[in-house]
Structure formats: structure tokens, C-alpha cells
Amino acid sequence: MISGDVMIRLDRVSKHYPGQPAPAVAELSLDVPAGEIVVLLGPSGCGKTTTLRLINRLIEPSAGRILVDGEDVTRVDPDRLRRRIGYVIQQVGLFPHMTVAENIGLVPRALGWDRARIRARVDELLDLVGLSPETYRRRYPKHLSGGEQQRVGVARALAADPPVMLMDEPFGAIDPITRERLQDELLDLQARIRKTIVLVTHDVAEAVKLGDRIALFEPHARLAQYDRPAAILAEPANDFVASFVGSGAALRGLRLERVGALALEPVEVVRPGAAAVDRSARAVLLDDAGRPVRWASAGSRGAAGVAVVRTEDSVYDALDAMVRARDDAALVLDAHGDPVGALSWSTVVRRHPAGDSSPAPSFGDAR
Amino acid sequence: MSFADYLGQRWPVIGVLAVQHAEMVLIAVAVAAAIGVGVGIVVEGHPRASRVALNITGTMLTIPSFALFGLLIPVLGLGAPPAIAALVLYAIFPVLRNTVTGLASVPGAVEDAARGMGLSRWARLRLVRLPLAWPVVLTGVRVATIMTVAIAAIAAGVSGPGLGQLIFGGLARIGGANALNDALAGTLGVAVLALALDLLFVALSRLTTSRGLG
Ligand SMILES: Nc1ncnc2c1ncn2[C@@H]1O[C@H](COP(=O)(O)OP(=O)(O)O)[C@@H](O)[C@H]1O
Ligand SMILES: [Mg+2]
């Protein structure tokens, strides 16, 4: 099912905590492809954290094999293994007696880098996570907000440029608005650094947003479904998956589809002073600056202006814009801001893909 | 002779005794700190071992100091050695207790992050856990010092050095010339020395504690 390189392979891994009647992880097999974000999703206590900590040997498996980059982790010195695996936790765990720069530079220091190289790396990482080095380098953790602490936590995990990152509910303790921003930043970051990331969450929305793939766990880390987010939302493998992703699954799936992938209706552009010509098409009136003002034709009347979206926006965003404009269609602009058509409510509901020239989105394939 | 005249005349002697006293205390505390921190590092995280170590060193504190000094004479003779040895035995407990407490109070998430980034046991201790426990450890050393300054006065009973000689000497000759002044000077000297060492520790704590803590 997975093409390309496997960075992490769990092979019938089990973990039995002493004194517990049932195993926390029971015969789990899972391949994590290189350069992807795989989200471990499931209810509390289902074994997500245990699975994550098996990978960097903070927990030793009771049975099975774990390979990282082809190497059996139990054959490697755990400290050396962990320096190649970034680790980010919900409580961040910054060292309170060290400045931001010292926190980030600790692993490079342990690796024996010289001062100048550590300094340069610290500044580079602060820039990467969106914190200005001048402002933050010398601060102590107690003078950082929750969001800033987690950014520093990510920078620290990236310090020695590990190919793999493990993140355990990294945004779980952060307010919703900042959480959204940090999620967006993580995706931007990942687009640049292409790490292999295993991220734990119990939040379906977060999993769908961040995951290239989602591993949905039942209790005892039994794999209920391992697939692309769109597939999990659209074709849940069983009742457990269906009930876990919940009643909002269909709407959530729309976040994963682009407006440009759907069939658009033609739109006639009417400049100030001109009259609409083609009565069969929708016509939109522009102002002097070329901005859409309202629909000219009678067929569609947005009570609150024109809903405007871009081809790269999600279908979810388009529906949101339509509801806010109290209209049943949205004007679609291309990357240059020129109108290319209209997306109607019924197109979304019936999901007509665009013509042959522009293929339907295919979430089952690798990018 | 008034106390003021007495001080004016005898301050060089009092000063020498105070320095002896301080030396005895600081040597004892340094040795006790090394033992207390060392044992604390070894037993921390092992509840049984911690309890045993704390019980043994805590019991030392219940032995009357005069008795302990006396018990050490057959082994170490008279003078400074039995005095310092006894002080060490008393001073270990506060240091050990605070070392165990300080190391145990390192937040789990910090320890987890340190382990997760591949710091060895030793590196975690040196770079993370001891620096975080440091203010608490230092408080233990400070308590040990103040306590020891007072107990050290009894050392004169085994011919130990220090301000205790003034106190014991004075009390033995009570009614004689300057007997009361000697006892008073010794007692006040102990109090002043304790205060001075306390201030020293406050300064030391300020200088050696990260600004990120507290
Ligand atoms: N150190 C431990 N000792 C004993 N049981 C544990 C330990 N850690 C976790 N467990 C148990 O293992 C199961 C899985 O826990 P965990 O991996 O933390 O789940 P999740 O991260 O999905 O919430 C739970 O039943 C939990 O109580
Ligand atoms: Mg967990």
C-alpha cells in the first residue's frame, strides 16, 4: 500500500506494562513513509503515547521489532538513537534555568559543535519557527507565552537536524486560535524541511489538517484504519472509525478538496458602464478597481455582497463564503485575482469534478 | 571592666577564635555537603534507599552534641578532629534531605524532554537536574551551616577551637574577672558569625542561581 521509502517500521510490536491486565499495544504493525506526517489518532488511553515512545525507546517493547531508517532500534545506544529523533511533548519541558538559545543549543553542545556553529544554528532555527532571534535568544522560558514555548520546543527538537520527529499532542495545551496558527506553521515548516513526523492527537480536526496519513487506533493500539485523511472521512473502515470521526466527517472532508478541482459555471464580467451581453451566463459587476460588487443577473442575488473564493481555497471555505454572503454561488478567482467562473452550491453537493482537462482530486495517491 | 572596654581590649583574641570557629564550621560543612549531595544523587529515585539514608543521618541529629563529641575522643583524640567529625555528622542531614527533595522536584516534563533528546544520565544530572535543584540544595547547605555554627560552640568541651572556648572558660570561672564578659562575647560572637554566614549564603545563592528560576 505504501510506496517509497519507509522511515519507521513497527513490526508486530507489543507493550505490556507490568501489573496491567491488558497490553497497552498489541501486535501493532505500521509503516511510516519518509517525509510524511503520520498522525496517531484515537481515544484517550488507546496507546498512542506508548506507541510513540516505543519509537525512541523511552519505553522498551515487550515483543516485536522497531526499525528506524532500516536499523533495529534495540541494537542502537538509546541516547545516540534519540539524538537522531526530535521529540516534542505537550508540556514542552523547556529547561527553565536556560535561555531560549541554551535550550535550543543543548543537543548541538552535547554533540561537541563549536560555539559559532551553535549560535548560527540557534538563530536559523528561531527564524524557522517564526521567532526573532534578537528578541528571543536571551529570554528565559518563564517569559514566553504557551505558543512561544511550543515554538521553542519545536526548534529545540530540530536542533541537530534529525530526520525523524515525534510529537505528542504538541498543541494540546494551547488556546484554539494559537493552535490553528501553530498547525499552519508546522505545515509550512514541513513543506520546507520534509521530516518524517509521527504526531499524536485525539483531535480529529487536527489529524485531518496535519496528517498525510492517519492511523486510527482502537484501544490496545489496534489499528482500525490507516489511510489518507480524505479516505478515512469518506470511507470509514468500520463502525468504530465512523463513530470516532463523527457526524461532521463529510463537512471536514470538504476542507481537503480544492475549489479549482470542481466544475465551474461560466461567468460574464461586466465593467462599470457596460451592459451584460450573454443572458445565459451569470454576470458579475465590477467596480472601477476591478473588484466584484454584485451579481448583475437576476438568477442569483447575494443578500450580503458576492461570495469570492480562489481556486486554491478549499471547498469548505467556498461553502463558508456562500453562507456568509447568503448566496448559492461563489465567484471564483484565479491566482492573479481574475474571475474564472462561479461555483454553485449544487455543484458542491453533487460534487461534479472538473472536465477531463483538470483531473479530480485524488487523495488516494502520493503527492 | 565594662563590656565595651573588654571588647576594646580583647578583640584580637576574640577575632582569632571567631576565625577558628568559622574555619571549623566551613570545613565540616564542605565535607558534609560533598557527602550529602553525593549520597543524595545516589539514592534519589530509589524510595527505600532514600528513606534509609535520611533515617540514618536524621538520627545523628538526635544524639546530644556533648555526647557525640565525647564519643569521638577515643577515636580521634582531643581538639579539632573530633569536633569537625561530629559537625560533619550533624550537617549531612539537611544537605541530603534538600538534595533528595530538590532532585525529586524536577518537573517530569523537563526530565522527559531531557531523556527524549538523548542526554545521558550523567549529562542530565549535570546540565539539567542539579542546576534546577541547586537553590534547594544550597538552602540545605545554609541550614547546615547555621546549625553547625551553634553546635560548634560545644566543641570547646572536647578542647576544640573556636568561640566555645570563651563561653566554656567564662562559665567555668563565673564570678571571676571578665568571666561574664567572656561568656557574653562568645555567645554574641556565635550569633554574629551565624548572621554573617547566612548573609554570605544569600549572596552566593543570588550569584549562582539562574535568572530563569524563581
Ligand atoms: N507507565 C505506565 N505504567 C502502566 N500503565 C501505563 C503506563 N503508561 C500508560 N499505561 C496504560 O497504557 C494504556 C495506554 O496509555 P497511553 O499510551 O498513554 O495512551 P494514550 O496516549 O493513547 O492516551 C493506558 O491504559 C494507560 O493507563
Ligand atoms: Mg497520550
Side-chain angles (χ1 to χ4, degrees), chain B:
Chain B
M1 202 188 306
S2 76
F3 189 58
D5 293 339
Y6 163 87
L7 281 184
Q9 201 180 358
R10 298 296 300 272
W11 66 264
V13 178
I14 300 171
V16 167
L17 290 173
V19 169
Q20 280 180 355
H21 201 103
E23 263 176 15
M24 182 167 57
V25 164
L26 290 177
I27 290 171
V29 167
V31 174
I35 296 172
V37 172
V39 174
I41 287 170
V42 172
V43 300
E44 195 274 322
H46 307 279
R48 287 259 300 274
S50 300
R51 216 170 321 118
V52 169
L54 285 170
N55 280 341
I56 292 174
T57 52
T59 306
M60 300 285 178
L61 288 178
T62 66
I63 304 175
S65 44
F66 207 75
L68 185 56
F69 285 121
L71 284 173
L72 288 170
I73 294 177
V75 190
L76 296 167
L78 286 172
I84 291 176
L87 294 182
V88 168
L89 293 179
Y90 285 122
I92 291 174
F93 178 75
V95 179
L96 175 64
R97 184 197 51 197
N98 280 31
T99 303
V100 171
T101 310
L103 289 175
S105 67
V106 172
V110 168
E111 176 74 14
D112 205 30
R115 240 152 64 80
M117 68 172 55
L119 295 183
S120 66
R121 248 184 98 81
W122 171 241
R124 289 203 303 277
L125 190 65
R126 193 170 57 87
L127 299 172
V128 179
R129 311 186 63 218
L130 275 179
L132 283 180
W134 179 245
V136 182
V137 173
L138 200 61
T139 302
V141 178
R142 179 174 153 196
V143 169
T145 306
I146 305 311
M147 195 181 79
T148 316
V149 168
I151 298 176
I154 317 291
V158 289
S159 312
L163 293 164
Q165 291 188 352
L166 285 177
I167 302 173
F168 273 80
L171 292 179
R173 292 180 289 107
I174 208 79
N178 277 335
L180 201 59
N181 281 337
D182 275 351
L184 192 59
T187 309
L188 284 177
V190 167
V192 170
L193 186 60
L195 198 67
L197 288 174
D198 203 26
L199 290 177
L200 185 77
F201 273 101
V202 172
L204 196 64
S205 178
R206 288 258 169 82
L207 287 175
T208 58
T209 301
S210 157
R211 281 192 297 119
L213 299 179

Side-chain angles (χ1 to χ4, degrees), chain A residues 45 48-50 168-169 200:
Chain A
K48 306 180 295 293
T49 295
T50 302
D168 195 346
E169 310 216 13
V200 164

Side-chain angles (χ1 to χ4, degrees), chain A residues 17 20 24 43-50:
Chain A
Y17 288 110
Q20 297 286 322
S44 167
C46 70
K48 306 180 295 293
T49 295
T50 302

Side-chain angles (χ1 to χ4, degrees), chain A residues 183-211:
Chain A
Q183 289 168 346
D184 292 336
E185 288 175 11
L186 179 67
L187 289 173
D188 283 350
L189 191 69
Q190 170 67 348
R192 278 179 284 167
I193 60 181
R194 285 271 160 245
K195 301 292 181 190
T196 304
I197 298 178
V198 183
L199 184 145
V200 164
T201 184
H202 58 255
D203 176 0
V204 180
E206 180 166 271
V208 168
K209 179 169 177 179
L210 297 178

